[in-house]
Amino acid sequence: MIGELPKALEVGGKMIEINSDFRIALQIFQAFNDEELTDMDKAVVSLRLLFKEEIPMRHFEEAVKKAYWFLDGGDIQKSEPRKAKMIDWEHDQSIIFPAANKAAGYELRDPERYTHFWTFLGYFGEIGEGLFSTVMSIR
């Protein structure tokens, strides 16, 4: 439905609850940046962090596609892979969070406050002029 934020993804014909808070997505991105992990390791980490129950191996590939769809903000269109990494979520967090907090109107890192990952992406997309946008334009 329009305007709904997914808190479960269908895998193998079954709706499986996910950890939809933005902090989980950022942990997955941190694993994606780990050069010591293989692509398979990264996929396994993403499934273990995102889904609230274990995914049967027979549904592994489908679950990975659904997880990546969720992490792409629900974008079903395939885009060209970027040649240069624009954002390092871990390294840039000192400039990302102040900018996203300004767009959100509250402290996103407050552990007591749940923020859906897609809501976080919306705030992130609304970041205006400031240090973060200046750094991004230089990159």
Side-chain angles (χ1 to χ4, degrees), residues 1 3-9 18 20-22 25 66-76 114-125:
M1 298 219 23
E4 288 190 22
L5 299 172
K7 294 188 178 180
L9 298 174
I18 59 171
S20 58
D21 189 83
F22 80 97
K66 296 287 176 85
Y68 291 2
W69 171 84
F70 176 78
L71 294 168
D72 282 339
D75 188 0
I76 58 174
Y114 164 83
T115 302
H116 191 282
F117 178 57
W118 289 7
T119 300
F120 174 79
L121 288 178
Y123 294 145
F124 188 76

Side-chain angles (χ1 to χ4, degrees), residues 128-139:
E129 294 296 318
L131 178 60
F132 179 76
S133 60
T134 301
V135 169
M136 291 300 105
S137 67
I138 291 169
R139 287 184 185 163

Side-chain angles (χ1 to χ4, degrees), residues 7-12 14-20 24 28 43-56 59-71:
K7 294 188 178 180
L9 298 174
E10 185 176 344
V11 177
K14 176 184 173 187
M15 293 303 287
I16 301 177
E17 277 190 73
I18 59 171
N19 294 305
S20 58
I24 298 299
I28 293 169
V44 169
V45 167
S46 69
L47 296 187
R48 287 197 176 144
L49 287 173
L50 187 63
F51 288 97
K52 291 188 176 184
E53 60 185 73
E54 193 168 330
I55 303 297
H59 299 302
F60 182 83
E61 188 176 333
E62 177 188 4
V64 168
K65 287 180 182 176
K66 296 287 176 85
Y68 291 2
W69 171 84
F70 176 78
L71 294 168

